[in-house]
Amino acid sequence: MIDPTEIKGLKDYRDRLRMHTTKRFPTRPIENITHIAVHHSLTKTGSAEAFARYHVGTNNWPGIGYHIVIEQDGVIKWCNEFEKRTYHVGNSNGFSVGVCMTGDFRTDEPKPEQWQSLLRVLNWLKTELNISIENIQGHNEFSGYSWKECPCVDMTELRAVINKPKIKQKKIINYAPGSYSFKDILRNEVNFYLGELKRLNPQITELQSPKKTKVEVKPPSSSPYLDTKTSTEIREVIKEMEHHNYKVFLNDKKDYNLNIVGVRSHSQIPNSFNDKLMVFWKFKGSWTLKQYKITTDPVLYWLQNPMNVNGTAILKEGQYKNAYRIGKHTSKSGSYTALVQAEPVTVIRDYDKDADLDFTGSREETGLFGINIHLSKKSGKSSFVDKWSAGCQVFKNSNEYKEFISVCQIAASEWGNSFTYSLINNY
Ligand SMILES: [Zn+2]
């Protein structure tokens, strides 16, 4: 069996997706594979989990039809062994590997991270399976499918990019300030992970999706946080924030200019405080960092008994500028001081009421939902999240919470009662 887990950003989802109770895909010798079929999902959003549910539940197939799904954040999910003859290009299934990007590219474009992941996957498959460049085809280039609007990406350009000679060493090109086309960068950096390119080239401020032509490259500026006194943890989280173009509060004329950043762990187990809240600020050139155990996810109880008919809310990754203020959080046991939502945030509604947290494939909504940052128990620690959180960001430990609120109160007296909250996935 060939194993693609060495591909950066790939996650093995073979055992994590819905399968038919009895039906199984037939297998084939690996040598039979001569082609790769590139698809889009034809849906605005979606995930391997959602496609698997559809292919099994609605189509009554043995499992998900694709071998690999590349989601909009660039995460690559390995869904089926390549030896499995799955369903995605009809008569050509026997000799093809199916790679699907989430999105509807009739109207949208692949996200840059998604495009980079696609290049990595195709480069790897091409080498491992010894597939010729012309046999990397869009769904509609396969026999009998010229009518199909799939994948709606320029396959000629894609093949040209893959066919470029590879740059072996991990060398970052020194971009002079100026305006570059995305394609120029892509040609030079075909083997590069986009995030890495941006991290190592802070002067590249904007990388648009592949079809757009202009990229603004500004002169390198001395980075205000990369001094020797900055701890690795702060350095890493700031790099991640800058990677998402989030504002980092650096003004240190007064103390407590807070950066409040939730870091959501990859583990999507409800009922556990497995995320962290990083609170950090710079004063007179030095950073202070506080880290607290929290959960950014709603809990099992609310997933299965949502208060809202549209399903329980999960706060979406993002930066919510000035969206929080010190106020009162009301719970069954009364109300107490908390950071409360003051401006719209975006939530993902998980409406299938299963025990998984679904971050994609569900509906998004933006508005005022009372997604507060608060405490689980008034004193001591909570070992399980239990009923405390319905999409709120909830502290495990009451002493940590008290410290956090007092830091916020000092900050409010210096900078006003308005806080920006950023939620990022673990990096
Ligand atoms: Zn297709």
Side-chain angles (χ1 to χ4, degrees):
M1 195 192 79
I2 69 160
D3 179 1
T5 49
E6 67 190 39
I7 301 174
K8 187 170 178 183
L10 182 137
K11 294 179 179 169
D12 186 354
Y13 264 65
R14 289 173 300 157
D15 295 333
R16 299 177 62 174
L17 301 175
R18 183 159 166 198
M19 284 200 295
H20 197 277
T21 45
T22 50
K23 291 185 187 176
R24 294 292 174 262
F25 288 118
T27 55
R28 61 186 173 187
I30 200 89
E31 310 78 66
N32 287 15
I33 301 170
T34 54
H35 286 66
I36 301 169
V38 177
H39 303 268
H40 65 148
S41 66
L42 214 66
T43 54
K44 284 266 172 205
T45 58
S47 59
E49 293 92 315
F51 306 146
R53 284 197 290 268
Y54 185 80
H55 290 172
V56 177
T58 304
N59 295 357
N60 201 27
W61 291 356
I64 187 171
Y66 308 116
H67 293 94
I68 283 182
V69 169
I70 303 173
E71 295 178 359
Q72 282 163 332
D73 55 2
V75 168
I76 303 162
K77 291 183 178 170
W78 182 24
C79 306
N80 279 300
E81 285 95 62
F82 304 109
E83 289 87 345
K84 282 191 180 155
R85 182 192 177 282
T86 60
Y87 307 159
H88 58 103
V89 278
N91 288 340
S92 304
N93 285 332
F95 53 84
S96 304
V97 169
V99 177
C100 179
M101 284 183 285
T102 297
D104 181 351
F105 303 148
R106 293 174 305 182
T107 50
D108 298 334
E109 298 174 353
K111 303 272 185 285
E113 288 81 1
Q114 202 177 17
W115 187 256
Q116 290 294 309
S117 291
L118 178 71
L119 292 176
R120 284 204 303 282
V121 165
L122 295 178
N123 271 310
W124 188 88
L125 287 170
K126 179 178 181 294
T127 308
E128 290 295 314
L129 298 171
N130 197 20
I131 289 169
S132 65
I133 187 72
E134 64 274 14
N135 285 356
I136 299 176
Q137 296 185 338
H139 188 175
N140 65 351
E141 292 178 303
F142 281 81
S143 163
Y145 282 109
S146 57
W147 54 274
K148 189 105 183 166
E149 286 185 294
C150 182
C152 300
V153 295
D154 184 342
M155 290 303 297
T156 308
E157 173 66 25
L158 178 59
R159 282 187 286 263
V161 171
I162 293 168
N163 221 18
K164 284 281 161 197
K166 312 235 184 330
I167 300 166
K168 281 273 168 13
Q169 84 238 70
K170 284 227 156 192
K171 187 173 150 283
I172 299 296
I173 289 156
N174 198 5
Y175 290 96
S179 194
Y180 291 81
S181 85
F182 189 97
K183 282 177 182 168
D184 284 342
I185 289 179
L186 213 54
R187 283 201 184 94
N188 290 331
E189 308 282 356
V190 65
N191 275 339
F192 264 90
Y193 181 51
L194 192 63
E196 195 175 316
L197 174 72
K198 285 179 77 171
R199 277 177 202 194
L200 295 168
N201 290 270
Q203 74 273 29
I204 298 176
T205 52
E206 189 85 15
L207 274 180
Q208 298 288 352
S209 60
K211 288 183 190 167
K212 296 198 178 142
T213 49
K214 287 290 175 189
V215 177
E216 285 302 318
V217 178
K218 290 184 181 165
S221 58
S222 62
S223 193
Y225 59 90
L226 288 179
D227 56 61
T228 48
K229 282 181 285 182
T230 307
S231 76
T232 314
E233 277 164 314
I234 294 177
R235 203 180 281 233
E236 290 302 316
V237 72
I238 292 177
K239 280 184 186 175
E240 191 62 22
M241 290 171 78
E242 295 203 326
H243 171 59
H244 292 284
N245 293 321
Y246 294 166
K247 182 173 171 53
V248 180
F249 296 101
L250 294 166
N251 184 339
D252 64 352
K253 288 208 177 85
K254 290 183 283 182
D255 203 355
Y256 294 97
N257 192 7
L258 300 187
N259 294 280
I260 304 175
V261 182
V263 182
R264 177 177 272 155
S265 75
H266 290 303
S267 149
Q268 292 173 15
I269 307 162
N271 271 14
S272 61
F273 289 93
N274 51 10
D275 307 321
K276 67 178 171 183
L277 189 74
M278 299 178 77
V279 182
F280 52 99
W281 64 93
K282 198 176 191 181
F283 183 55
K284 293 184 177 166
S286 315
W287 285 100
T288 303
L289 168 68
K290 301 279 181 184
Q291 299 197 73
Y292 307 116
K293 279 200 184 65
I294 60 162
T295 178
T296 65
D297 310 326
V299 298
L300 194 54
Y301 175 85
W302 292 119
L303 283 170
Q304 290 170 338
N305 305 278
M307 292 187 291
N308 182 304
V309 288
N310 294 324
T312 291
I314 301 169
L315 188 61
K316 192 187 177 188
E317 186 190 5
Q319 182 169 58
Y320 301 102
K321 286 190 183 137
N322 304 318
Y324 284 87
R325 62 179 175 76
I326 297 171
K328 293 285 179 199
H329 176 76
T330 307
S331 71
K332 270 185 188 162
S333 53
S335 68
Y336 58 90
T337 305
L339 277 202
V340 297
Q341 191 194 342
E343 293 291 332
V345 299
T346 300
V347 297
I348 300 164
R349 294 244 180 240
D350 181 331
Y351 48 78
D352 63 6
K353 297 191 193 180
D354 63 15
D356 300 322
L357 295 172
D358 295 328
F359 291 99
T360 50
S362 306
R363 234 180 47 223
E364 282 182 24
E365 281 178 54
T366 300
L368 294 166
F369 308 110
I371 303 277
N372 299 339
I373 302 174
H374 65 85
L375 180 60
S376 52
K377 270 165 95 177
K378 279 202 170 166
S379 59
K381 287 182 198 173
S382 251
S383 16
F384 294 100
V385 185
D386 199 21
K387 294 183 192 171
W388 300 114
S389 162
C392 287
Q393 316 288 293
V394 180
F395 273 67
K396 179 186 175 87
N397 185 313
S398 62
N399 287 331
E400 290 186 353
Y401 181 74
K402 277 174 203 152
E403 181 184 274
F404 170 69
I405 287 295
S406 59
V407 166
C408 289
Q409 281 165 336
I410 302 168
S413 67
E414 293 283 351
W415 301 91
N417 188 5
S418 176
F419 298 89
T420 293
Y421 180 58
S422 309
L423 177 60
I424 56 184
N425 290 323
N426 202 1
Y427 35 91

